[in-house]
Amino acid sequence: MSNSEPSFGELSRNTVERSKDVIFLVDSKMLITYCNPAWDEFALANGGENVVAARVVGTELMHVIPEPLRGLYAEMFHRCREQHLTFDFDYECSSAEVYRLLHMNVLSLNHVGDLAFINSIRVERKHGAER
């Protein structure tokens, strides 16, 4: 577990904590240092009791990314940190009952390599006949 206070960089902690978007922070070692309340709300609403903030803070982010995607994500995160870039993309995060398309923004927070991940829902609906 990480014992240091998370860096919010230019983000307001109050705004992050009140946001309905799922937001988490990682430090320069890629350890999850913070998850906002929306993280727990999303986890609990989707049967993710084992991934609430209290259980994942201190976890290395790359350990929770599926193996086939680790190289792609590692390069993206490295570029964000080294070049202080913002990177964003859409990804699917569906359940058995609900189709979800989410949007992720990855922001460099400071010169030491901390990152913020902001995940917002673009589409959320029950699966249709295509399922």
Side-chain angles (χ1 to χ4, degrees):
M1 294 274 184
S2 177
N3 293 326
S4 62
E5 182 68 21
S7 168
F8 286 83
E10 295 179 18
L11 299 174
S12 158
R13 183 177 190 136
N14 186 44
T15 300
V16 169
E17 289 185 351
R18 292 183 9 205
S19 178
K20 295 299 178 194
D21 293 336
V22 174
I23 301 173
F24 66 97
L25 308 176
V26 299
D27 65 13
S28 61
K29 297 175 191 156
M30 296 304 289
L31 297 176
I32 298 171
T33 58
Y34 170 85
C35 302
N36 73 339
W39 170 289
D40 282 351
E41 291 171 25
F42 186 86
L44 294 172
N46 292 284
E49 292 80 11
N50 59 334
V51 293
V52 295
R55 296 188 124 184
V56 299
V57 168
T59 300
E60 186 176 337
L61 179 60
M62 297 310 284
H63 288 163
V64 299
I65 294 174
E67 179 64 41
L69 299 174
R70 285 184 189 163
L72 172 71
Y73 279 83
E75 178 159 341
M76 177 186 57
F77 301 156
H78 176 74
R79 285 186 183 185
C80 288
R81 286 165 48 220
E82 294 298 313
Q83 299 172 15
H84 303 287
L85 298 174
T86 298
F87 190 85
D88 64 305
F89 60 97
D90 290 340
Y91 65 100
E92 185 178 343
C93 184
S94 297
S95 68
E97 299 81 27
V98 178
Y99 170 78
R100 275 188 214 91
L101 182 66
L102 283 84
H103 184 77
M104 179 184 286
N105 281 327
V106 183
L107 310 169
S108 176
L109 294 177
N110 52 39
H111 68 281
V112 297
D114 296 345
L115 298 173
F117 295 77
I118 303 169
N119 302 274
S120 55
I121 295 176
R122 285 207 188 263
V123 178
E124 185 174 47
R125 61 173 166 75
K126 291 196 178 280
H127 288 291
E130 79 282 354
R131 189 80 171 188

